[in-house]
Amino acid sequence: MTDAYAKNVATSAEEAARIVPRAEFRVFGQDIVEAVKEKMWSCRAQLYKARTMPPETYILSRFTDEANVKVRDGLLDIKTRTGLTPEGYEIFQPRGKFQFPVKKEELEEILSHLKAPLPLEKESYSFEDFRALAASCPDLALVRVDKKRYGFTVNGVICEFAYVWFNGARVETACCESEDYAAMKGAVEALGLAGRPNTNYLRAAKAVIGM
């Protein structure tokens, strides 16, 4: 969820590579929010803020769950999974935020991470061009994602619970993320999430749309 607190500016791949990635543990379901609320007060959580996010378009690939590609506020944003912690927390590295129109060579790189190389005949692509291109590929899916997020911290670890809509279907989610894996493990356990499967946005969206 790091992107929610980042500045909404275009970021080159070189700049993104210098960002220290956080590990993330996230769960989805229909009984998440109330369970987290019950736990967060007993573990001295500090409420950060509530935010209704602008609509996002996620681009899902049938071939991978390791490339998080989405469009928000006119920016094409990509992160790729670079590893797992011993606890099984996922580490996603930002790869860049690109303003539309996106150059052909940048789009080729993004599509390679999705493992869905497509013939690119134009030198740059508007959002409408990119949307049409992705929609033409049977191995890619475009999903509208709306989020209402409530951020807080547990012993300095960034956490949230949220309501999420995938193409209008509502689910609940909660997350902890940090560079401090030991503190993160404590927060996950304090919120009662440790027994649930770690599921990122890509896998959750795929489950909802049947991909």
Side-chain angles (χ1 to χ4, degrees):
M1 66 182 173
T2 308
D3 59 297
Y5 307 104
K7 292 181 179 180
N8 186 20
V9 295
T11 306
S12 71
E14 292 79 8
E15 290 172 322
R18 292 195 291 269
I19 299 173
V20 177
R22 293 169 175 160
E24 179 175 298
F25 177 85
R26 180 176 292 279
V27 300
F28 284 87
Q30 297 295 344
D31 58 347
I32 303 293
V33 171
E34 288 305 317
V36 168
K37 283 182 177 179
E38 288 180 6
K39 294 285 187 179
M40 62 184 290
W41 307 124
S42 62
C43 61
R44 299 180 181 178
Q46 295 185 3
L47 190 62
Y48 180 63
K49 62 173 66 176
R51 300 184 69 184
T52 298
M53 306 303 295
E56 301 172 341
T57 300
Y58 275 66
I59 297 86
L60 307 181
S61 170
R62 192 179 305 280
F63 302 120
T64 183
D65 294 331
E66 298 186 358
N68 187 322
V69 178
K70 65 183 179 182
V71 177
R72 188 178 75 200
D73 286 340
L75 297 176
L76 181 58
D77 182 325
I78 177 170
K79 301 174 186 174
T80 59
R81 198 178 81 170
T82 58
L84 292 171
T85 73
E87 298 80 9
Y89 307 150
E90 292 186 301
I91 301 172
F92 276 83
Q93 174 69 49
R95 297 296 182 187
K97 293 185 179 183
F98 304 94
Q99 188 81 47
F100 286 101
V102 177
K103 296 178 182 178
K104 177 181 178 179
E105 57 269 25
E106 294 172 337
L107 195 53
E108 284 176 336
E109 178 70 15
I110 290 168
L111 290 172
S112 73
H113 286 295
L114 290 171
K115 304 186 186 300
L118 296 172
L120 301 180
E121 300 175 352
K122 304 176 66 173
E123 292 305 311
S124 64
Y125 284 76
S126 67
F127 174 57
E128 292 74 18
D129 294 333
F130 175 65
R131 186 181 182 89
L133 182 71
S136 72
C137 180
D139 296 313
L140 298 178
L142 296 160
V143 178
R144 173 175 168 136
V145 181
D146 298 277
K147 305 172 184 176
K148 188 171 185 179
R149 309 168 71 172
Y150 298 81
F152 60 96
T153 60
V154 175
N155 295 326
V157 175
I158 296 173
C159 305
E160 75 167 12
F161 62 84
Y163 301 98
V164 180
W165 291 260
F166 295 116
N167 284 349
R170 196 186 91 162
V171 295
E172 298 177 3
T173 184
C175 173
C176 299
E177 66 171 49
S178 180
E179 302 92 343
D180 184 340
Y181 305 151
M184 185 172 160
K185 182 178 180 181
V188 169
E189 293 174 348
L191 292 173
L193 302 176
R196 297 177 182 264
N198 187 13
T199 305
N200 62 38
Y201 266 99
L202 307 178
R203 292 195 294 273
K206 285 183 177 181
V208 171
I209 69 170
M211 186 182 219

